Amino acid sequence: MTVQRRRRIIRRQRSSVGLALVAAISFLAGMTDAIGLMSIGDFVSFMSGNTTRASVALIQGDVARGLLLLGGLMTFVMGNAAGVIVSIRFRPQAVLFFVSILLACAALAPDQREIRFLLLIFAMGAINASVEQIEGLPVGLTYVTGALSRFGRGLGRWAMGIRNTHWIIQIVPWLGMLAGAITGAVLMQQAGDFALWAPSLMALSLTAIAIQIPRHWQSRFIQPR
């Protein structure tokens, strides 16, 4: 086996592992967002939607809700920052463990709507630092507008004869989020507020799985430091 062939095989394996992790984390994000939306009434990972909702609430005179949503936007940004800090100081899989703790704290606060809302948003912000790219291609974990946009633009280029098919992977986080949201909605209907323990346990399980990924592979899933 030539060195080049061996490198291609390793790259293919690394990409497959990375995409599986992206799908699982997007599933987790979709499940959390659906549960959060059904239990709280607002998104916990879809900040574009919350930006619009905050603007509408303020214009309609619902200042308290508008300020809460704006606070959620800032919390999401801080969550992303915290996720990067944890990833750099420890390892990317530590972000998943951090998120599992945040989700468990949110599950323990069923009667404190605002606190639960902010904890869930902080967790969804932080989880974005666990996987940022696959072989240099950016991926989103808690939002899919960008992924669908990249998929659509890639499709347009392919239709124009540009045969680069890297854009196809952008459908993975969307499929993961769709499946997760369906699962979260079902869990919320069946278990009510107890459903939020499912994302926490899943994040903990993903931590255990991510630990098994070679460290030099994981370094390819995050932005260069």
Side-chain angles (χ1 to χ4, degrees):
M1 182 183 296
T2 65
V3 173
Q4 287 185 340
R5 177 173 172 76
R6 184 171 181 274
R7 286 178 177 173
R8 283 197 299 269
I9 292 174
I10 292 174
R11 182 175 180 175
R12 191 177 303 116
Q13 292 174 338
R14 187 172 60 225
S15 297
S16 298
V17 169
L19 284 175
L21 190 58
V22 165
I25 295 174
S26 295
F27 181 96
L28 170 62
M31 178 167 56
T32 305
D33 206 30
I35 293 172
L37 179 61
M38 294 177 71
S39 65
I40 299 172
D42 289 304
F43 300 109
V44 297
S45 72
F46 180 45
M47 294 302 108
S48 297
N50 281 350
T51 299
T52 302
R53 287 186 171 209
S55 302
V56 172
L58 290 173
I59 292 300
Q60 292 180 339
D62 192 349
V63 177
R65 183 163 184 257
L67 291 178
L68 176 63
L69 289 168
L70 289 176
L73 297 176
M74 290 185 287
T75 300
F76 185 78
V77 172
M78 296 307 296
N80 275 271
V84 170
I85 292 171
V86 172
S87 177
I88 293 176
R89 189 171 181 82
F90 301 100
R91 290 179 63 181
Q93 62 264 33
V95 177
L96 293 170
F97 181 67
F98 178 53
V99 167
S100 70
I101 294 174
L102 291 170
L103 292 174
C105 291
L108 290 170
D111 299 325
Q112 302 177 47
R113 178 181 177 276
E114 292 80 8
I115 293 177
R116 169 180 272 197
F117 178 60
L118 296 177
L119 281 171
L120 290 176
I121 287 182
F122 195 83
M124 291 299 96
I127 206 171
N128 284 290
S130 59
V131 179
E132 298 179 272
Q133 62 181 12
I134 300 296
E135 298 302 325
L137 299 174
V139 291
L141 300 176
T142 64
Y143 50 92
V144 292
T145 302
L148 290 176
S149 177
R150 287 188 287 268
F151 184 87
R153 281 177 281 151
L155 182 61
R157 293 189 181 98
W158 184 85
M160 293 302 295
I162 302 173
R163 297 310 182 194
N164 185 331
T165 57
H166 290 164
W167 50 273
I168 293 176
I169 72 167
Q170 299 295 338
I171 205 65
V172 171
W174 179 79
L175 291 172
M177 181 161 280
L178 175 65
I182 292 172
T183 302
V186 171
L187 287 172
M188 192 64 194
Q189 284 187 332
Q190 299 296 322
D193 286 335
F194 290 104
L196 198 54
W197 285 104
S200 178
L201 292 174
M202 182 176 178
L204 194 60
S205 299
L206 287 177
T207 303
I209 293 171
I211 289 174
Q212 308 304 316
I213 300 174
R215 187 164 190 166
H216 61 282
W217 282 21
Q218 284 219 356
S219 65
R220 301 295 291 271
F221 299 156
I222 56 178
Q223 295 289 343
R225 306 309 184 191

